[in-house]
Amino acid sequence: MAIAVYSTPSCSYCRMVKDWLKAKNVRFDDYNVASDPRRAEEMVRKSGQMGVPVTDVNGRIIIGFNTSEMERALR
């Protein structure tokens, strides 16, 4: 399962997504879109969103901190 979290260091919802995934023992790649313009572009292309967090679970895009969507995507 490939999981990517597009985030920024100052975003509290980003921290919540990452903490939630860690609590579930789910491995993920964390991309800081504030310092990586290539990943920021990738995030916008996938989600159509400029805001963070954006989580990609095997191609399923979840915007914001949405635990029910993440639960469904992880099944």
Side-chain angles (χ1 to χ4, degrees):
M1 182 170 287
I3 300 171
V5 177
Y6 298 88
S7 64
T8 62
S10 60
C11 165
S12 60
Y13 287 106
C14 299
R15 247 186 321 279
M16 290 164 71
V17 166
K18 293 184 277 191
D19 289 345
W20 187 87
L21 288 168
K22 286 175 192 165
K24 300 252 179 216
N25 291 317
V26 175
R27 293 189 54 206
F28 61 93
D29 293 314
D30 180 23
Y31 300 122
N32 178 352
V33 297
S35 66
D36 189 339
R38 195 173 58 82
R39 293 295 184 183
E41 246 176 67
E42 182 178 283
M43 175 190 80
V44 172
R45 193 174 60 250
K46 286 181 177 185
S47 69
Q49 300 287 314
M50 292 290 289
V52 288
V54 171
T55 307
D56 179 346
V57 181
N58 286 334
R60 185 172 181 170
I61 303 302
I62 300 160
I63 295 158
F65 179 55
N66 185 333
T67 54
S68 59
E69 272 301 305
M70 288 195 291
E71 287 276 8
R72 263 194 293 283
L74 290 171
R75 280 192 206 119

